[in-house]
Amino acid sequence: MTARELALLQGGTTASPPSATPKSPYRSKLEARYAMHLEALRLDGQIAQWTYEPVKFRLGLPGRRCWYTIDFEVVVSHLPGHVQIEYHAVTGYTRDDARVKIEAVANLYSWYTFVIIREDRHATCEGWTREVVGTKKGMPSNV
């Protein structure tokens, strides 16, 4: 999270000098909004930490160059000493090829939880809906 995003989150000013306009580390405004949501959850103690694009997952056979870069890694701490790692893919809509890739990753790396996150202004959880994909469908989470 950048200092500017943290200032926004804390209700501070967003003004910056014209010469100091840092490029956002996020690929989209939607990802930037979700990062702010995750940071609010972290500050509230609902998650332990989060990281943007922390890892690439390899798909297919060795020698093939098919990779999937996940948007966010979220570490959820339900009980002291027990953590759960979730990987969140943030999307405004899901194209067929993206869905196939995240489902393939979720099945290959089934010890993690993979979640498709969509912005939804009518959602009950602060404007975001969750869809768990792969073999862990139906597992509870508080994120």
Side-chain angles (χ1 to χ4, degrees):
M1 170 148 286
T2 65
R4 183 171 184 234
E5 292 168 339
L6 189 56
L8 261 174
L9 189 64
Q10 295 172 342
T13 180
T14 61
S16 60
S19 61
T21 54
K23 184 179 178 190
S24 173
Y26 307 106
R27 295 179 190 256
S28 70
K29 291 178 183 178
L30 182 64
E31 289 178 352
R33 286 193 300 274
Y34 191 65
M36 290 180 68
H37 170 72
L38 288 175
E39 185 61 13
L41 292 176
R42 188 189 68 79
L43 292 172
D44 191 40
Q46 295 182 42
I47 63 173
Q49 69 183 39
W50 63 273
T51 311
Y52 179 67
E53 291 189 345
V55 67
K56 288 184 177 185
F57 290 98
R58 184 185 199 112
L59 295 171
L61 302 172
R64 292 242 163 140
R65 294 184 185 166
C66 187
W67 296 85
Y68 183 78
T69 302
I70 199 72
D71 295 327
F72 293 93
E73 177 183 76
V74 180
V75 179
V76 182
S77 180
H78 295 290
L79 301 169
H82 176 75
V83 296
Q84 175 184 346
I85 297 175
E86 293 185 353
Y87 289 103
H88 294 192
V90 179
T91 182
Y93 63 92
T94 307
R95 297 186 320 261
D96 289 341
D97 62 330
R99 174 170 283 286
V100 167
K101 279 187 178 180
I102 194 167
E103 286 181 356
V105 168
N107 289 323
L108 284 171
Y109 301 91
S110 60
W111 50 92
Y112 297 118
T113 301
F114 291 85
V115 183
I116 295 174
I117 301 291
R118 291 185 188 87
E119 187 174 38
D120 183 359
R121 302 195 193 285
H122 305 291
T124 58
C125 183
E126 301 178 20
W128 303 97
T129 58
R130 300 170 40 92
E131 177 190 350
V132 177
V133 294
T135 57
K136 291 194 174 187
K137 287 183 180 179
M139 289 197 63
S141 177
N142 65 340
V143 181

